[in-house]
Amino acid sequence: MGSPGTPLVRPARTDDETVIARLRHQSFSAPVDMALWLEYGHVLELDGGPVAALLARPCGQWFGGRPVPAVTISSVMVDLTRRGGGVMAHLLGPVLAHHAGAGAAIATLTPSAVAPYRRAGFEVSGFRYRHHVSPRSLRAGGEVDDIRWFTADDAGRLAEVYDALVRRSNGPIHRDAAWWRSHILPRVHSGETFAVVAFRQDAVTGYALWDQVSAPLGEFTFRHRVRAREIVWTTVPAARALLHTLAQAGSPGEEISWFGGPSDGLAAFFDAPVAMDWVHPWMTKILDHPAALAARGYHTSLDLTLTLGIQDETGAPARTLGLVVRDGRCQVEEAGTEPDVTVAAHAFAALFTGRSTAREALAMGQLKARSAAALDHVDALFAGPSPWLFEHF
């Protein structure tokens, strides 16, 4: 147990269940999964007792067609009587340092408040988007794949089609077998979430996971709103088949909504405008700049060198890195020359993910460049699809 006034961060234990449940009740509505906390949980003791806790789960995150080693931070909970006194920093700092030492190059979270995480070095680096449209506007006709209910034997096939989608995206989680087993499939196996698979002959070509939410008061009580957690497709016939299935769900539903990228292609199958009714940011902190730059992918046509300065909040001289980008990879080494571009450390996260551009950072006073060509090089490095996530941590 920590001595009075001395913060102690330690792994969660079985005897923490009561305090974690109390913190959870103060902070969030979801129940406590103690098995998850025993595997990924961290607890802060201060003044002789537990006052805060969080989950930190190692994973990868896709950028430029390659997964970057990451840790996701979630369920950050501080006792109500200790909020506002820097308690979260006492917990978050050691946890991030631990995972950086274990190989994580970046940390990602979906914030309930932005300011505290900015103070901890995070920056808004992408968004989770929800699209919605009336199922009656789905265009009829066209070739479709076959549809069947998900079975336990499909788990590996879902992972394959998911990987095919996210390799061409920026931001989605690189899911290993443990992530699927603990974070995606339990709701499907329990029946809480519906799941169908699109297939052609013996090949799985897509899948959809969705919930059916009762329509608001005043609408027909037998109607539902079909809220897809994921619609993943590898071919146009698969997309049509999945959308037609969702359009018929819920007796049928009054609305289809789904999470996906801002230009995921599904809007093209409807004859009415597809709107976004919910957008929530996620935030990233670069834990190891050389490792993050080396792990990420880049456009294979790029052949450039750049001296990059990373300026932290302490006011110390910028860390200078020499980058050589060729054949879709980046070689990084410490450099002793003047930087072509110098970026504030927290702002660099938004450049790295593709959420912001060099010229936007320049306009915000977060970047300095020796030339317009250097700005062009930064934007070319991180150009790609707008970053997004399926998950909400």
Side-chain angles (χ1 to χ4, degrees):
M1 181 173 289
S3 59
T6 303
L8 171 67
V9 176
R10 58 168 176 79
R13 306 185 303 239
T14 53
D15 60 345
D16 290 320
E17 184 168 5
T18 299
V19 70
I20 289 173
R22 185 181 73 242
L23 291 171
R24 189 78 173 180
H25 184 62
Q26 293 177 18
S27 306
F28 304 107
S29 59
V32 172
D33 181 346
M34 200 58 198
L36 199 65
W37 278 93
L38 291 176
E39 188 169 3
Y40 302 115
H42 300 264
V43 172
L44 171 68
E45 291 187 5
L46 191 61
D47 297 330
V51 297
L54 60 75
L55 291 169
R57 292 171 280 189
C59 65
Q61 199 170 359
W62 288 97
F63 293 104
R66 297 183 61 86
V68 176
V71 58
T72 61
I73 303 298
S74 62
S75 296
V76 181
M77 308 179 298
V78 177
D79 184 88
L80 180 61
T81 63
R82 306 302 294 263
R83 294 177 188 174
V87 170
M88 188 187 76
H90 288 314
L91 174 60
L92 191 58
V95 170
L96 294 179
H98 167 77
H99 282 276
I106 63 176
T108 295
L109 54 82
T110 50
S112 54
V114 169
Y117 295 107
R118 277 209 173 109
R119 288 194 293 270
F122 287 78
E123 187 49 76
V124 173
S125 299
F127 295 90
R128 189 174 185 234
Y129 300 92
R130 187 171 70 190
H131 311 260
H132 75 102
V133 69
S134 167
R136 290 181 289 275
S137 67
L138 180 62
R139 191 177 310 113
E143 184 182 7
V144 297
D145 283 351
D146 296 315
I147 291 287
R148 58 175 169 77
W149 289 108
F150 166 87
T151 69
D153 292 339
D154 291 318
R157 299 184 181 96
L158 264 59
E160 291 174 4
V161 295
Y162 171 86
D163 285 348
L165 169 70
V166 298
R167 283 179 190 276
R168 63 178 189 263
S169 304
N170 283 331
I173 295 299
H174 178 52
R175 298 172 179 169
D176 60 12
W179 190 280
W180 280 96
R181 187 170 57 250
S182 61
H183 303 308
I184 308 300
L185 295 178
R187 293 177 61 92
V188 176
H189 291 316
S190 70
E192 187 176 359
T193 291
F194 296 95
V196 294
V197 172
F199 67 99
R200 175 157 297 210
Q201 297 178 345
D202 293 329
V204 171
T205 56
Y207 69 87
L209 311 178
W210 79 94
D211 304 323
Q212 291 178 191
V213 182
S214 297
L217 188 66
E219 297 184 18
F220 292 114
T221 56
F222 58 83
R223 299 284 193 181
H224 290 82
R225 295 193 171 187
V226 175
R227 293 189 174 173
R229 293 173 172 269
E230 300 179 14
I231 305 174
V232 175
W233 49 286
T234 58
T235 67
V236 168
R240 285 199 190 101
L242 294 168
L243 290 173
H244 279 283
T245 299
L246 293 173
Q248 295 302 312
S251 300
E254 286 292 289
E255 175 188 79
I256 299 174
S257 65
W258 66 90
F259 293 101
S263 54
D264 65 2
L266 292 177
F269 294 92
F270 294 88
D271 288 329
V274 173
M276 289 184 190
D277 66 343
W278 189 88
V279 177
H280 192 84
W282 45 273
M283 303 181 77
T284 297
K285 179 175 182 175
I286 309 295
L287 303 179
D288 185 329
H289 288 84
L293 288 160
R296 171 194 215 289
Y298 303 86
H299 198 286
T300 55
S301 67
L302 287 178
D303 189 347
L304 60 84
T305 60
L306 181 76
T307 304
L308 174 68
I310 303 295
Q311 182 68 64
D312 66 21
E313 291 76 17
T314 66
R319 183 183 187 184
T320 308
L321 302 173
L323 313 184
V324 178
V325 180
R326 187 173 295 121
D327 298 325
R329 303 306 305 274
C330 181
Q331 295 181 348
V332 188
E333 60 182 19
E334 300 289 339
T337 57
E338 184 180 353
D340 299 311
V341 173
T342 302
V343 191
H346 73 281
F348 181 71
L351 294 175
F352 179 86
T353 66
R355 199 273 297 174
S356 186
T357 67
R359 283 176 170 78
E360 288 172 348
L362 179 67
M364 293 291 292
Q366 300 166 336
L367 179 149
K368 297 178 182 178
R370 295 176 64 188
S371 66
L375 292 173
D376 291 339
H377 283 172
V378 173
D379 283 338
L381 274 179
F382 304 118
S386 296
W388 61 279
L389 279 174
F390 275 133
E391 278 89 349
H392 185 92
F393 312 124

